[in-house]
């Protein structure tokens, strides 16, 4: 199920995590060639992706919201 990004935070290992409107979190790494997301590495890039929809597999399985 697609959910829009409403914010970002760093996890304990300094990897960027998107917070989705459903309350789930999803890592958004720029790790070429496996995941190419150059927008993750700058504040302007992340801000520009607010509202962008990501596929939330946690919604598909009915998982409860993640805890901050």
């Amino acid at each position: 199920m697609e959910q829009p990004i409403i914010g970002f935070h760093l996890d304990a290992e300094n990897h960027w995590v998107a917070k989705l409107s459903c309350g789930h979190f999803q890592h958004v790494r720029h790790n070429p060639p496996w995941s190419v997301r150059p927008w993750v590495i700058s504040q302007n890039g992340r801000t520009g992706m607010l509202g962008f929809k990501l596929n939330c597999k946690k919604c598909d399985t009915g998982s409860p919201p993640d805890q901050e």
Side-chain angles (χ1 to χ4, degrees):
M1 177 180 305
E2 291 191 342
Q3 298 288 351
I5 298 171
I6 61 169
F8 295 93
H9 67 269
L10 287 170
D11 70 5
E13 297 176 357
N14 284 326
H15 295 285
W16 285 105
V17 179
K19 181 174 183 179
L20 306 178
S21 65
C22 58
H24 293 126
F25 300 156
Q26 189 173 114
H27 279 94
V28 285
R29 295 181 178 98
H30 177 57
N31 187 21
W34 297 279
S35 55
V36 180
R37 297 184 181 114
W39 54 267
V40 171
I41 56 179
S42 74
Q43 179 63 47
N44 285 341
R46 290 186 301 278
T47 300
M49 293 301 285
L50 293 174
F52 182 81
K53 292 183 180 181
L54 295 176
N55 185 34
C56 183
K57 293 181 181 181
K58 292 178 183 178
C59 278
D60 292 340
T61 60
S63 297
D66 292 316
Q67 301 295 316
E68 290 192 46

